[in-house]
Amino acid sequence: MSTQAALLVSVLAFPGGLFALALGLALKGADRRFAARLQGRVGPPLLQPIYDLVKLGFKRTMVPLTATSQLVFLVTPLVALVSMLYAAALIPVPGLPAPSPQLGNVLVLVYLLAIPGVALMVAGSVSGSTYGAIGFSREMALMLAYEGPIVLVVAAVALRTGAAEGQFAVLSLTEIVRHQQVHGANLFDPVLWPALIAFVFFYPANLGIVPFDIPEAETEVLEGPLVEYSGPALGLFKLMSAVKSVVVLGLGLTLFFPLVPEGPLGLVVWLLEDFVLMLIGVTAVRVGIGRMRIDQAVAFFLKWPLVAAIASLAVVVVV
Amino acid sequence: MTSPDVPVSAHGVSAHDVAVPETYTIPVGPLHVALEEPMYFKIDVRGETVTSVDINAGHVHRGIEYLATHRSMIQTVVLTERICSLCSASHPEAFAMAAEAIAELEVPSRAKYLRVIAGEVKRLASNLFNVAILAHLTGFETLFMHVMQVREIAQDIKEAVFGNRMDLGAICIGGVRYDLDAEIMMELTKRLDEIAPLVDEIIETYRTNGTILRRTRGVGVLTRDQAIACGVVGPVARASGVVYDVRHAAPYAAYPDLEVAARGLSDGDVWSRAMIRLYEARDAIDIVRQALAKLPAGEIHGDERPDVPPGETIAKVEAPRGELIYYLKTNDGPNPERVKWRVPTFMNWDALRFMLAEAKVADIAIVVNSIDPCISCTER
C-alpha cells in the first residue's frame, strides 16, 4: 500500500473516519441512555443518535435569507467535521496501525481541536440570527478561556517527556505513548497532576457539555450558533460533535494513561476505557449540575484550570 | 444600506446588515422554549446586558369575559375553571364567592373545608411546577425531572380525589361538588405523608445547591419599594418583603379556622421567589392535613341551582400566583351581566421591567419564569 493510500485509510476508515464516527455515536448513545437512567427516565435506544442522523439526512437544509453567504453557511459544518476526522486520524489507538508521522504531531492536533469552535462561531455569525450572534460571542469567550490551559497542558506533557528522553520536547503522540509504556503512565506522575486537572475541565468546555454548554444553551439562546441549521448541515455538526468526543477522550488517554495490553485485546480495553470515562467522567457529572453563566465560566477557567496548567508547566520546567 | 438585489427577510433585515450592531433586539417569544405559554418580550440588549424590555400580549385571548355574559351562572363556573389549568381551583372559587355574596348564600362549613383542600392541593402542584421549570432553565435537568416526579404525587392526589389531573370541577355556587369518604381520606393522608418528606428534601436542595444559588441569588432583584410601587402580589411580593396574603388579610372559606404560616423573605431575587413557593408548597400540605383533621360533617352544598338576584360585588382569593380578584355584576336575566377578574400575573409582569434592568441575556428566561407568569389567566 502506498503512503498516500495509507494516509487516506487512516483519515477515512480508522482511526479517523468511520471508526471514529461509529465510536463517537456509540458514546453519545450510551451517554444519553445512562443520563436518562440517572434521572429516573427510560431514555432513548442506544442507536438514537444514528436514527437522528438518518432523519436529518432526509430533511432539507434551509438557508436563512439573513445569511451573509450561502456558501460559507453550508461549508462551515463540513470544515468542522473534516477537521475532526483528520484529528481522529492523529490519535494513536492500540491495536490499529500507529498514525503516520506525516499527518502531524500533537501541535497539529491542538490546532485542529480549535477548528470546530471557530466553525461554530462562523456558523453563528453567518446565519444572521441574533441568537447565533450571542452564541458566537459566548463561544469566543469560552474558547479564549479554555484554549490557553489546553496548550499549556500539552506543553507540560511534551516537555516532561522530552526531559526524560533527553530532548527539549517530544511532540509526537506515538513517542509520548511509547515513553509511558516504558516509564509508566503520566497519570501516576505527581508533577503532571495539575495538568490532568486542567484537562479534566477542558473536556466538557471543548465539547459544550453542562456546565459549559453556554454557547448552545437551549433555554437561553435556542442552541445559539445552530439555531438556523437544519437537515444534513445540522447532521454534520452532530457528527462533528460525536467525533470530537472521541478525539478529546483519545487525547486524554494518550497524554495520561495509554497503557493497554498488546494487540486486539488492547483495542478492546481502550474502547472500554472510553466508555467508562465518558459515563463516569462526563455523564454522571453533567446530570449532577446546571449550566454556568458565561461570565462565571470564564472567571472559573481563569481561576482554576489556567492556574493549574501554568503551575504544571512551571513545575515541569523547574524539576 | 439595503440594495435591491439583496434579499430582505420578513423582518426587514437585509443580508448586508448582519454585522450585529452593538445594541440589538432579541425576541423572546411569542413561541420560545423557555416560555410555557405564548408571550412576546421584545428585549433590547447591549452585548449580554438587557437595556429595555417591552411586553406584547394578546396571543391567547379567547374572549372568555365575553363568553361568560352568554352563559348562565352555573355554566360560568365551568367556564372560569377553563381560564387556566394551573389556577383552576381559584377561578371558580372566586366566582362562586362573588355569586354567593350577591345571593347572600351561606356555604356549609364542610364545603368551606373542602374548598380549602382543593385550593391547597392545586397550590402544591402549581408551585412545584414553577420551581421545576426554574431548574430546567438553569440547565439542571436532573433536578427538573426529580421535582416533576414529586409533583406527580400531587397529580395522583388530584386524580384520586377529584377524578381529574388538572381541572378539578370541585366548586359550585353555594358549596362544592365533591365529598371525601373514609377510604379516600385515608388515601389522601397516605399520599400527603409520602410527598411531605420529598418536598422537604427539595427545599433543602434549592436552599443549598451550588448550581441553583449561583444562577438565582442576586438575579432579577425587585426591591421592597419597587414591589409596592408596582403593586405586585403573591410570592413575588412576599419575596420582596411585602408580606401580603389574602388568606391572612381577608380570610375566606375555612381559612379563619386554620393556621396558615406567613412567609416572607427580603432579598427579592429569583431565589427568594422560588423559596417562598417551595415553603408555601410545604405549608399547603400542612393546611390540607389540618383541614382533614378538622373536617366537619354535614352538607356539601345547598340548593343546586340557587337564584342569584341583581347586584354587584367583588370577591378575592389567594391563587397560587397571588391575589385573584373577581368582579361580578348580575341583572334580572340568568346570565351574568359582567364578569371581570384581575389576575396576579397582570400585576406582576409589569415588575419585570425592574427585574430585567441590567440583567444578563442568560438570566432573561430565569427572571421571567420567576414571576410564574400565567398568560392564559391574563389574556383570557
Side-chain angles (χ1 to χ4, degrees):
Chain A
M1 200 157 46
S2 69
T3 325
Q4 278 87 352
L7 290 184
L8 212 56
V9 165
S10 70
V11 175
L12 291 180
F14 49 82
L18 289 175
F19 174 80
L21 281 176
L23 178 57
L25 291 173
L27 283 172
K28 291 257 161 184
D31 166 67
R32 286 179 63 175
R33 182 65 161 259
F34 187 55
R37 289 297 158 94
L38 289 176
Q39 294 175 339
R41 293 185 285 125
V42 176
L46 286 172
L47 293 181
Q48 192 61 45
I50 296 174
Y51 300 153
D52 289 349
L53 282 171
V54 170
K55 190 195 81 173
L56 286 173
F58 283 108
K59 299 260 177 187
R60 254 189 314 164
T61 293
M62 306 283 289
V63 181
L65 281 176
T66 47
T68 340
S69 155
Q70 283 209 3
L71 184 70
V72 176
F73 184 85
L74 292 174
V75 164
T76 308
L78 207 57
V79 171
L81 176 62
V82 168
S83 74
M84 276 304 100
L85 290 179
Y86 185 0
L90 291 173
I91 300 290
V93 177
L96 296 180
S100 160
Q102 282 166 298
L103 279 173
N105 55 22
V106 69
L107 287 183
V108 176
L109 186 57
V110 169
Y111 274 105
L112 286 172
L113 270 179
I115 291 181
V118 175
L120 276 178
M121 282 155 58
V122 173
S125 172
V126 79
S127 70
S129 153
T130 23
Y131 292 112
I134 298 171
F136 162 85
S137 81
R138 289 177 169 197
E139 182 75 46
M140 186 162 65
L142 200 59
M143 268 189 87
L144 290 174
Y146 70 65
E147 280 297 323
I150 186 62
V151 171
L152 296 177
V153 167
V154 168
V157 173
L159 289 176
R160 179 81 177 155
T161 315
E165 295 278 325
Q167 308 166 24
F168 175 65
V170 172
L171 291 175
S172 157
L173 282 165
T174 324
E175 290 295 319
I176 291 174
V177 171
R178 198 170 298 144
H179 170 80
Q180 291 179 75
Q181 278 164 349
V182 177
H183 297 93
N186 288 336
L187 184 64
F188 306 115
D189 183 356
V191 172
L192 287 175
W193 283 349
L196 180 62
I197 292 168
F199 189 85
V200 165
F201 290 114
F202 165 78
Y203 188 84
N206 186 270
L207 290 173
I209 296 171
V210 176
F212 304 118
D213 62 334
I214 308 158
E216 291 158 48
E218 187 207 9
T219 50
E220 291 168 14
V221 289
L222 311 173
E223 313 238 315
L226 300 181
V227 66
E228 294 290 353
Y229 276 91
S230 54
L234 181 61
L236 288 178
F237 271 122
K238 290 200 180 291
L239 275 177
M240 175 275 283
S241 153
V243 181
K244 196 158 141 189
S245 64
V246 176
V247 172
V248 186
L249 265 182
L251 176 64
L253 282 173
T254 306
L255 291 183
F256 294 102
F257 192 72
L259 303 185
V260 291
E262 289 288 319
L265 185 63
L267 180 60
V268 175
V269 172
W270 186 81
L271 290 175
L272 277 178
E273 283 174 356
D274 275 351
F275 278 96
V276 169
L277 280 179
M278 184 78 181
L279 296 186
I280 294 176
V282 178
T283 316
V285 173
R286 85 174 165 92
V287 298
I289 41 178
R291 191 183 307 118
M292 282 188 183
R293 222 163 43 207
I294 185 67
D295 50 323
Q296 293 169 338
V298 171
F300 174 84
F301 264 94
L302 295 185
K303 208 190 288 175
W304 301 110
L306 186 63
V307 169
I310 291 174
S312 183
L313 192 64
V315 173
V316 165
V317 171
V318 172
V319 171
Chain B
M1 265 180 100
T2 310
S3 59
D5 57 339
V6 175
V8 176
S9 79
H11 311 291
V13 182
S14 97
H16 283 167
D17 292 343
V18 287
V20 178
E22 206 179 326
T23 309
Y24 50 95
T25 305
I26 51 170
V28 176
L31 297 172
H32 189 278
V33 278
L35 297 171
E36 305 308 312
E37 291 179 272
M39 181 72 191
Y40 181 32
F41 297 94
K42 191 163 152 278
I43 295 179
D44 291 330
V45 174
R46 171 176 293 143
E48 281 251 351
T49 308
V50 174
T51 52
S52 80
V53 184
D54 194 14
I55 299 171
N56 185 334
H59 302 276
V60 278
H61 177 68
R62 289 152 292 160
I64 294 184
E65 286 187 4
Y66 171 81
L67 287 176
T69 61
H70 287 69
R71 279 168 174 57
S72 73
M73 293 295 288
I74 292 166
Q75 288 171 323
T76 305
V77 176
V78 179
L79 182 68
T80 53
E81 183 142 15
R82 275 139 188 87
I83 293 166
C84 148
S85 57
L86 286 170
C87 338
S88 62
S90 308
H91 280 279
E93 186 175 4
F95 177 76
M97 279 166 64
E100 286 150 9
I102 292 177
E104 293 177 356
L105 285 175
E106 182 58 34
V107 179
S109 62
R110 185 175 177 84
K112 285 182 175 174
Y113 278 84
L114 291 174
R115 280 185 178 183
V116 168
I117 293 174
E120 295 299 326
V121 169
K122 286 296 290 186
R123 189 188 317 279
L124 169 62
S126 173
N127 285 5
L128 286 180
F129 184 74
N130 177 261
V131 291
I133 299 292
L134 169 65
H136 168 61
L137 294 179
T138 55
F140 198 167
E141 296 299 334
T142 311
L143 188 56
F144 165 71
M145 297 283 171
H146 176 66
V147 178
M148 287 305 264
Q149 233 164 30
V150 172
R151 171 181 174 269
E152 201 58 25
I153 299 175
Q155 298 296 88
D156 286 347
I157 290 175
K158 288 192 257 174
E159 197 171 352
V161 177
F162 306 95
N164 271 328
R165 284 164 59 86
M166 290 311 277
D167 289 349
L168 306 182
I171 312 285
C172 67
I173 297 173
V176 291
R177 292 179 56 225
Y178 79 104
D179 205 352
L180 297 174
D181 57 21
E183 193 192 350
I184 205 78
M185 275 173 74
M186 275 238 309
E187 167 72 10
L188 185 51
T189 316
K190 203 184 88 194
R191 299 313 295 259
L192 287 177
D193 291 343
E194 193 182 327
I195 196 173
L198 294 171
V199 174
D200 284 333
E201 210 177 87
I202 292 173
I203 291 176
E204 198 53 26
T205 307
Y206 277 81
R207 206 173 61 76
T208 53
N209 183 278
T211 298
I212 294 290
L213 294 178
R214 205 161 45 224
R215 293 299 304 271
T216 57
R217 290 308 301 264
V219 171
V221 174
L222 185 73
T223 63
R224 190 167 190 276
D225 292 342
Q226 289 166 342
I228 292 170
C230 294
V232 296
V233 292
V236 178
R238 293 195 281 275
S240 292
V242 183
V243 186
Y244 173 77
D245 187 327
V246 181
R247 293 174 295 175
H248 295 129
Y252 55 97
Y255 285 111
D257 306 332
L258 300 170
E259 269 185 44
V260 183
R263 295 293 185 179
L265 288 170
S266 53
D267 289 354
D269 54 7
V270 172
W271 179 80
S272 304
R273 293 192 272 277
M275 290 314 288
I276 290 277
R277 285 197 184 94
L278 281 169
Y279 287 135
E280 289 183 358
R282 184 66 185 80
D283 293 344
I285 298 172
D286 290 339
I287 294 169
V288 175
R289 280 173 171 165
Q290 286 180 53
L292 284 174
K294 290 187 178 176
L295 189 62
E299 289 292 303
I300 54 166
H301 57 72
D303 184 5
E304 282 204 338
R305 290 184 192 171
D307 200 24
V308 182
E312 65 176 332
T313 189
I314 67 158
K316 56 183 178 178
V317 301
E318 182 76 15
R321 284 157 188 74
E323 181 187 48
L324 171 67
I325 304 178
Y326 260 67
Y327 167 80
L328 172 64
K329 185 176 186 192
T330 51
N331 53 21
D332 290 329
N335 301 343
E337 189 182 318
R338 181 82 173 97
V339 192
K340 184 171 172 55
W341 49 95
R342 199 206 70 187
V343 299
T345 303
F346 181 73
M347 301 310 291
N348 289 346
W349 74 16
D350 211 35
L352 282 175
R353 290 170 210 282
F354 294 109
M355 299 179 192
L356 284 174
E358 299 296 305
K360 298 284 175 213
V361 170
D363 294 331
I364 292 172
I366 293 171
V367 172
V368 170
N369 177 67
S370 77
I371 66 158
D372 203 353
C374 183
I375 312 301
S376 314
C377 283
T378 318
E379 300 184 349
R380 59 257 192 173

